[in-house]
Amino acid sequence: MTDAVAPDAELDASGLNCPLPLLKAKLELNRLASGAVLKVTATDAGSQRDFRTFARLAGHTLLREEDDNGVYRYWLKKA
């Protein structure tokens, strides 16, 4: 499957448990310019709730999310 949105940066948080995928994503977003897209890959099922909540509270846009047999991918657009 091709990415619907070409990310400006990618973060592989596979194998990390909550809250590490989110913390690493926050650090990566801090480095990016406003409007940039970060693609995050995670394997922690709890990351779905975390990323939805984080995007809403921080004002970022969760452009897309995928669940591919326990591999979760998120496209976050920085506010």
Side-chain angles (χ1 to χ4, degrees):
M1 178 183 291
T2 58
D3 292 350
V5 179
D8 297 293
E10 291 194 41
L11 172 66
D12 185 359
S14 300
L16 299 176
N17 292 323
C18 180
L20 286 173
L22 191 58
L23 289 173
K24 288 186 169 289
K26 286 171 82 167
L27 290 172
E28 191 66 27
L29 280 169
N30 287 341
R31 298 182 334 99
L32 298 174
S34 181
V37 175
L38 173 64
K39 178 183 174 185
V40 181
T41 302
T43 52
D44 179 19
S47 66
Q48 288 184 296
R49 180 192 64 242
D50 293 346
F51 276 93
R52 289 173 192 153
T53 303
F54 168 66
R56 189 176 72 244
L57 294 177
H60 304 305
T61 304
L62 185 56
L63 297 173
R64 180 175 173 185
E65 61 180 295
E66 291 179 356
D67 174 359
D68 184 14
N69 293 318
V71 176
Y72 306 95
R73 294 183 191 89
Y74 307 96
W75 285 259
L76 282 165
K77 184 175 183 180
K78 184 174 178 177

